[in-house]
Amino acid sequence: MLLVDTNVILDVVEDDPDWADWSQARLETAALQYTLLIDAIIYAELSVAYLRIEELEAMLGTGGFRLEPIPREALFLAGKVFQQYRNRGGTKTGVLPDFFIGAHAAVSGIPLLTRDPRRYRTYFPGLELICPE
């Protein structure tokens, strides 16, 4: 199993001029090895690219993505990581989506495919990332 970050999917959906090729290649490679997962946070973030839920559902089905619930342990961890962020001077007032996503992958012991590893490396140092080097 592999959790796929929102940015990778949106790169392909929106044909991002800088990242679409990289993201498409990583998704194709990953699909040969893993079950591709998203969670509720990723689903919500993806929804901004669609006018109708049926369009989003069709893309997810075509892409072979499976919606996986976020474990309670991951929700708890996301809150604790947010506390660390605030203690380090972070200014956001609500738990960041990346904290839910990173905690989900970390607690589940699965890798995360992302093109933006900075925050994940900072707050989830043991998390296996598939990302640009």
Side-chain angles (χ1 to χ4, degrees):
M1 292 188 292
L2 173 75
L3 194 60
V4 180
D5 200 358
T6 311
N7 53 43
V8 173
I9 300 169
L10 285 179
D11 288 344
V12 175
V13 167
E14 297 178 344
D15 197 21
D16 183 277
D18 297 320
W19 289 103
D21 290 341
W22 184 89
S23 293
Q24 182 67 45
R26 294 312 167 286
L27 281 170
E28 289 173 1
T29 300
L32 297 174
Q33 292 181 292
Y34 301 100
T35 299
L36 303 179
L37 304 178
I38 65 165
D39 60 27
I41 303 302
I42 296 164
Y43 189 100
E45 289 184 320
L46 289 172
S47 74
V48 301
Y50 295 89
L51 295 175
R52 299 178 42 217
I53 191 171
E54 294 83 3
E55 296 168 350
L56 174 54
E57 288 289 324
M59 181 281 296
L60 294 172
T62 301
F65 296 98
R66 188 172 88 196
L67 182 62
E68 190 76 9
I70 301 173
R72 287 182 186 189
E73 296 84 0
L75 298 172
F76 185 84
L77 177 58
K80 295 302 176 188
V81 169
F82 178 69
Q83 284 181 318
Q84 291 175 23
Y85 162 84
R86 292 288 296 188
N87 291 341
R88 293 179 177 178
T91 59
K92 303 292 183 182
T93 58
V95 180
L96 304 175
D98 286 353
F99 293 158
F100 289 107
I101 294 166
H104 184 175
V107 164
S108 298
I110 59 175
L112 174 65
L113 173 59
T114 185
R115 68 162 165 79
D116 187 16
R118 181 183 49 87
R119 191 170 280 140
Y120 298 117
R121 284 189 173 137
T122 300
Y123 292 98
F124 304 96
L127 180 60
E128 181 184 347
L129 298 174
I130 300 171
C131 59
E133 294 305 318

